[in-house]
Amino acid sequence: MNSLVTVSSEKGWSKTLQIVIPKEKNLVTNKISILTPMGSALIGYSKGDEIIWDLPGGKQNLRIIDVVQGEQFDENNI
């Protein structure tokens, strides 16, 4: 919980998301709930893993670029 996960798309974009409990979700600050499809899908993956994700623009291959466990960062890293 509270891990930072950086994902990149084959379409060229990348995003760092923080996986949080539902009451702390905030899309403006890229905090997604563990209960969302993306939040729960990212659990268990490691740096370098790839997943196929069904996004609004169609299926995309996403690569896990980095994972930082919650204890290893502070709010300044987000």
Side-chain angles (χ1 to χ4, degrees), residues 3-4 6 9 14 21-22 24 29 31 35 40-41 49 56 61 67 70:
S3 295
L4 292 176
T6 303
S9 163
S14 68
I21 60 174
E24 293 179 2
T29 58
K31 294 181 178 184
L35 299 179
S40 63
D49 287 346
N61 189 27
V67 177

Side-chain angles (χ1 to χ4, degrees), residues 6-15 38 49-55 57-65:
T6 303
V7 297
S8 70
S9 163
E10 62 190 346
K11 304 261 183 181
W13 59 263
S14 68
K15 190 166 204 124
M38 179 65 84
D49 287 346
E50 294 186 11
I51 57 175
I52 297 174
W53 192 255
D54 203 5
L55 296 170
K59 291 185 180 187
Q60 290 187 39
N61 189 27
L62 302 181
R63 176 179 282 264
I64 309 297
I65 300 300

Side-chain angles (χ1 to χ4, degrees), residues 19-33:
I19 302 172
V20 298
I21 60 174
K23 71 178 185 175
E24 293 179 2
K25 71 180 180 185
N26 184 333
L27 293 179
V28 173
T29 58
N30 294 319
K31 294 181 178 184
I32 62 170
S33 167

